[in-house]
Amino acid sequence: FKKVLLSIKDDQIQFRAIVGAETTFVSDSLDKCLLLVHVYVDDIWVRSNSQSLIDRLYRILSGHFSLTRDSLSLYLGLKFTKTRWGITVDLRQFLSEMGTKFDLANRRSVTTTPLPSTLTMHELKGTDVKPADQHFYQSLLGHVMYAATKIRPDLSYSIATLGRFSASPSKAATNLLIRVASYLYYTRNFRMLFPYEKYDEITVTCLSDASFASQLEDYGSLSGYLIYVNHCLVSWKAAKLRCTPLSSSEAEYQALSLCSQEGLWVHRILTQISDTVLNKIKVFGDNLPSLKWVTNENYKRARYVLPIFHRIRFHHARGDLTVQYCDTKSMVADILTKPLSGELHDKHRRSMNVLNFDENDQLLEEIGKIPGSEQ
C-alpha cells in the first residue's frame, strides 16, 4: 500500500508520509480538502472532508488491488458508533468473550474501583507459584492489557502494577488481577468518547503525575501522563521511572519531561495534517518545585537530574510549551499513579471520556472536565 500511495500522481491526490507516523499518509489540495489514510497490515482507514476524494481514491486503488469497501464499525474487537455526543469506541463483544473464557460472570461483581485504595505492594509478594497459575495469570493479564491500552486508561495503573508479577504471580496478585478483570467485565458498557467539537484552534494539553518511592522493594517511582487534543484523549501511559529519583520533586520533574515528549510528538503530527491554528502545548503538573525547575527558578536543586530529562527546559525556553500548576484534587493523571477511592476514581474516569452508555447509545453520566478546559 505504501509504495502505491506515494506513487499516485493525480490532479487532486498526491500523498506524503507523516514524519513520526510512518503508516499514516495525507493529501491536501488547494481547496482545503483533506484526505487522510492510515495503513495497518492489509487494511486501510480513509478519512476526508470530501466524499468525492474518497471515491476517487477508491477508483485509483481498485486498479492495483482487490478491495472491499465498508464503513468503519468493527475493527480488532473495537466497535465504533456515532452518537449525538460524538464517536464512541467500545469492547463489549471482546469483554463478553473474555468473561466466558475466564468464568467472570460467576465471580463476585466489582463496579467501584479496579483495585482497593488501601493496596500496598507488600500484599502482592509471594512464592506460592504453580505453572498452571502462571499461564492463567499471563493469559488474563493479556486480555485486560488489551482493553487498558485501547479504550480503558482507568486500568493503566492496575496493569503497570500487576504486570510486574507475570513471571511469578503470587496468590494475592492473582486474586487482585481477577478483581481487575471482574471490574472490567462488569463495566463493559463503558465506552471511550471522542466528542464532536467546533473549534477555530487546536490545543494539546498534557497532564503529568508521579508517585515517589511507591515501589517499596526498590524505592522506584511510578509516572503517568494523559495527552488531550482539545477535549479528546489521544494518548496515555503509566510506567515505572527507569531512573530512581532522589525526591518527589525529581520524580515529578522526570514525569513532566516524559509527558512533554509525547505532547510534542502529538503536536508535530497535527502540524502536518491540519491547517487549523495550533496553540502552544500546555503541560500541567501538581508539584510546584518541579515546575520551577522547568522555568529555571531554583534550578540548582536539579543538578543531580540526568541531562536527558532537561529537554523540557529547552522547549519551554524556545516557546514550544508552557507549564502550569494544577492542584492534586483536579489532576486527572493521578489515576495513573496510585489506587484511588471510588468517588475520585469515577471523577477522573469521566474526565478521561470513559463513560457509561446504555444499549440504545444513550449517555448515562456527565462528561468530566480537564485542567485548562475552562480557560
Side-chain angles (χ1 to χ4, degrees):
F1 277 123
K2 180 178 179 179
K3 291 183 178 179
V4 173
L5 288 173
L6 293 177
S7 65
I8 293 176
K9 303 299 180 183
D10 187 81
D11 294 340
Q12 300 182 32
I13 301 176
Q14 291 187 11
F15 284 104
R16 51 184 172 82
I18 300 297
V19 178
E22 288 71 19
T23 58
T24 305
F25 305 86
V26 64
S27 173
D28 39 14
S29 56
L30 296 176
D31 54 356
K32 294 187 178 182
C33 290
L34 183 70
L35 185 61
L36 195 64
V37 174
H38 178 73
V39 180
Y40 182 81
V41 191
D42 59 349
D43 294 313
I44 61 172
W45 297 359
V46 181
R47 184 72 177 171
S48 177
N49 55 355
S50 170
Q51 184 62 44
S52 62
L53 272 184
I54 296 178
D55 297 335
R56 192 180 187 94
L57 177 63
Y58 179 75
R59 290 193 296 269
I60 293 173
L61 293 180
S62 295
H64 298 270
F65 307 101
S66 177
L67 300 178
T68 300
R69 184 175 179 179
D70 197 4
S71 59
L72 182 61
S73 57
L74 186 64
Y75 188 74
L76 296 177
L78 299 167
K79 183 180 180 181
F80 298 81
T81 307
K82 291 184 178 180
T83 69
R84 55 177 290 194
W85 297 275
I87 297 175
T88 66
V89 187
D90 70 76
L91 279 167
R92 279 179 294 180
Q93 180 179 335
F94 172 81
L95 296 178
S96 296
E97 294 172 355
M98 181 188 76
T100 302
K101 179 177 180 179
F102 296 99
D103 195 29
L104 296 177
N106 294 324
R107 300 183 186 272
R108 187 181 67 176
S109 64
V110 179
T111 59
T112 51
T113 60
L115 291 176
S117 58
T118 56
L119 175 68
T120 62
M121 297 300 295
H122 288 303
E123 300 176 29
L124 303 180
K125 292 185 177 181
T127 57
D128 50 336
V129 183
K130 299 179 182 179
D133 296 335
Q134 184 184 41
H135 175 76
F136 173 85
Y137 190 94
Q138 292 174 349
S139 179
L140 183 56
L141 180 69
H143 282 73
V144 178
M145 186 180 297
Y146 183 77
T149 56
K150 300 305 178 187
I151 64 166
R152 294 298 298 269
D154 56 317
L155 300 179
S156 296
Y157 172 78
S158 303
I159 292 300
T161 300
L162 297 175
R164 297 167 49 206
F165 299 92
S166 60
S168 56
S170 64
K171 188 66 176 178
T174 302
N175 290 336
L176 277 176
L177 179 60
I178 293 173
R179 173 192 167 110
V180 174
S182 297
Y183 171 81
L184 177 60
Y185 175 74
Y186 283 102
T187 58
R188 59 189 180 276
N189 285 333
F190 287 179
R191 311 183 192 178
M192 175 160 278
L193 173 67
F194 296 89
Y196 297 132
E197 293 181 297
K198 293 183 178 179
Y199 50 82
D200 298 322
E201 51 191 29
I202 296 175
T203 301
V204 176
T205 304
C206 310
L207 309 182
S208 168
D209 192 40
S211 58
F212 173 62
S214 58
Q215 315 302 304
L216 298 181
E217 71 281 2
D218 60 358
Y219 298 100
S221 301
L222 201 67
S223 72
Y225 63 69
L226 300 167
I227 310 296
Y228 291 83
V229 175
N230 286 354
H231 291 86
C232 295
L233 180 62
V234 298
S235 181
W236 59 88
K237 184 177 183 179
K240 184 179 178 181
L241 290 172
R242 295 184 179 182
C243 178
T244 303
L246 300 177
S247 65
S248 59
S249 296
E250 184 179 336
E252 296 279 0
Y253 185 68
Q254 290 186 26
L256 282 172
S257 180
L258 297 173
C259 175
S260 66
Q261 290 179 32
E262 184 74 5
L264 287 163
W265 175 75
V266 171
H267 192 273
R268 185 166 62 248
I269 297 295
L270 292 172
T271 59
Q272 298 176 73
I273 65 175
S274 176
D275 57 358
T276 306
V277 176
L278 281 167
N279 295 324
K280 288 183 180 180
I281 301 170
K282 295 181 180 180
V283 180
F284 287 87
D286 61 358
N287 179 272
L288 283 173
S290 62
L291 296 175
K292 290 182 178 180
W293 291 357
V294 177
T295 58
N296 285 327
E297 300 176 54
N298 206 19
Y299 176 65
K300 288 184 178 180
R301 297 199 176 193
R303 62 184 180 274
Y304 298 115
V305 180
L306 289 176
I308 189 174
F309 296 112
H310 294 316
R311 189 173 182 85
I312 186 174
R313 296 177 60 243
F314 166 77
H315 287 288
H316 178 270
R318 202 171 70 167
D320 298 330
L321 56 83
T322 62
V323 291
Q324 301 180 43
Y325 174 75
C326 170
D327 67 275
T328 302
K329 292 183 179 179
S330 301
M331 175 49 70
V332 184
D334 202 35
I335 197 175
L336 304 179
T337 60
K338 58 184 71 69
L340 303 176
S341 63
E343 182 180 355
L344 194 56
H345 180 91
D346 281 344
K347 175 187 175 182
H348 291 337
R349 171 184 58 80
R350 290 186 289 105
S351 295
M352 295 187 295
N353 296 338
V354 178
L355 303 164
N356 191 12
F357 283 78
D358 63 16
E359 295 181 355
N360 297 318
D361 300 329
Q362 296 299 310
L363 182 61
L364 301 180
E365 54 190 352
E366 184 180 354
I367 301 175
K369 296 182 179 180
I370 62 172
S373 61
E374 64 281 346
Q375 297 177 4

